[in-house]
Amino acid sequence: MEHYLSIIFRTIFFYILILVIFRLMGKREIGELSILDLVVFIMIGELAIVAIDNPNKSLIHSSIPMVLLMLIQIVLATLSLKSKKFRDLVDGKPTIIINRGKIDEEAMRKQRYNFDDLLTQLREKDIRSIADVEFAILESSGSLSVIERMNNSDGKPKDGDITIPLIIDGNIEEENLTRINKTNLWLRQELKKMGYRDVRKISFCSFENGKFFVDIMDEE
């Protein structure tokens, strides 16, 4: 009887501990978990199962690895928040699969993403035909973001664009500049015209449909 009571107590204890740990690590939707989050969550779950199955092992010894994983995850998440390069290394970058209605087969091959995957995820979003898609972006979480074609009043397709980040955390995204056939010099000149002389003070700058959106770091 004592053995069963111990298992019940340990189950409740680690249930509460895991809830506290996940709460401290921050709120993330299941579909938005990064590889880093997923690895930590799986390891914490496995450690909890082992701890519950071994009632002779002290709660403190069983809890230390779980708390250590939590601290590691928080430190790495902080690094990811402050460093775009580290964030890209851990989480990866979003990939445009369909660009202005044209499928990018090379991007699909790089991501080991096939047409069955594409069609499945389009159906899940109630998209009947690829012809209805203007942009499809494979996010770093593995989910597919879809922007449908817009039509003018005459029923003809309307030109549209997606938000293209040109500056993130004070760093110019050279790859995105190349995508829109612009240069670093062009970007700096355009920003100077708008009164932004120091790129390092810009937390986010995007370019969409010929218009800029600029957000200054820690500006209230």
Side-chain angles (χ1 to χ4, degrees):
M1 184 65 179
E2 184 178 347
H3 176 74
Y4 291 110
L5 289 175
S6 175
I7 291 178
I8 292 172
F9 172 76
R10 294 173 75 88
T11 300
I12 296 173
F13 173 83
F14 285 109
Y15 174 75
I16 295 173
L17 178 61
I18 290 175
L19 285 180
V20 172
I21 288 175
F22 284 4
R23 181 68 182 87
L24 291 174
M25 287 195 301
K27 296 179 179 179
R28 297 286 293 272
E29 293 183 14
I30 296 299
E32 295 178 350
L33 294 180
S34 66
I35 295 176
L36 178 64
D37 295 325
L38 189 60
V39 170
V40 171
F41 287 4
I42 290 174
M43 290 184 68
I44 288 176
E46 290 293 329
L47 286 170
I49 292 173
V50 172
I52 292 171
D53 287 340
N54 292 275
N56 295 325
K57 192 174 182 179
S58 70
L59 292 176
I60 295 178
H61 287 172
S62 299
S63 302
I64 288 175
M66 299 171 66
V67 174
L68 180 59
L69 282 173
M70 178 195 72
L71 295 175
I72 291 173
Q73 198 275 347
I74 291 175
V75 170
L76 294 180
T78 302
L79 287 175
S80 179
L81 182 65
K82 294 183 176 181
S83 171
K84 177 68 166 56
K85 291 182 179 179
F86 183 79
R87 187 161 62 245
D88 290 341
L89 178 65
V90 175
D91 295 338
K93 294 182 179 180
T95 302
I96 299 178
I97 300 298
I98 298 178
N99 190 356
R100 298 184 184 279
K102 178 70 173 65
I103 298 174
D104 191 334
E105 289 85 0
E106 183 178 353
M108 291 178 66
R109 285 192 292 269
K110 287 182 179 179
Q111 298 299 319
R112 299 180 182 85
Y113 188 80
N114 58 51
F115 279 97
D116 288 334
D117 297 327
L118 176 60
L119 294 173
T120 297
Q121 291 190 289
L122 288 177
R123 286 194 296 269
E124 289 174 350
K125 295 182 177 295
D126 297 324
I127 305 295
R128 296 184 179 184
S129 172
I130 293 180
D132 297 330
V133 179
E134 181 78 3
F135 295 97
I137 304 164
L138 185 64
E139 306 292 355
S140 55
S141 63
S143 62
L144 188 71
S145 299
V146 178
I147 300 174
E148 295 185 65
R149 284 183 180 275
M150 297 181 293
N151 293 325
N152 293 312
S153 56
D154 58 4
K156 294 182 179 180
K158 179 181 178 181
D159 290 335
D161 210 337
I162 57 175
T163 298
I164 302 174
L166 299 183
I167 299 175
I168 298 178
D169 296 333
N171 297 309
I172 295 177
E173 299 292 300
E174 299 288 351
E175 183 178 334
N176 289 340
L177 278 173
T178 302
R179 183 183 299 167
I180 61 173
N181 297 318
K182 301 294 184 181
T183 64
N184 189 303
L185 178 61
W186 169 85
L187 175 61
R188 291 178 183 274
Q189 289 177 338
E190 292 297 316
L191 290 174
K192 283 183 179 179
K193 292 178 184 178
M194 295 185 288
Y196 304 107
R197 297 186 176 277
D198 191 350
V199 172
R200 293 171 297 179
K201 293 182 178 179
I202 298 177
S203 63
F204 183 83
C205 171
S206 64
F207 187 70
E208 180 180 359
N209 294 325
K211 296 181 179 180
F212 284 94
F213 171 83
V214 180
D215 183 75
I216 301 299
M217 289 183 183
D218 302 322
E219 184 180 56
E220 296 183 357

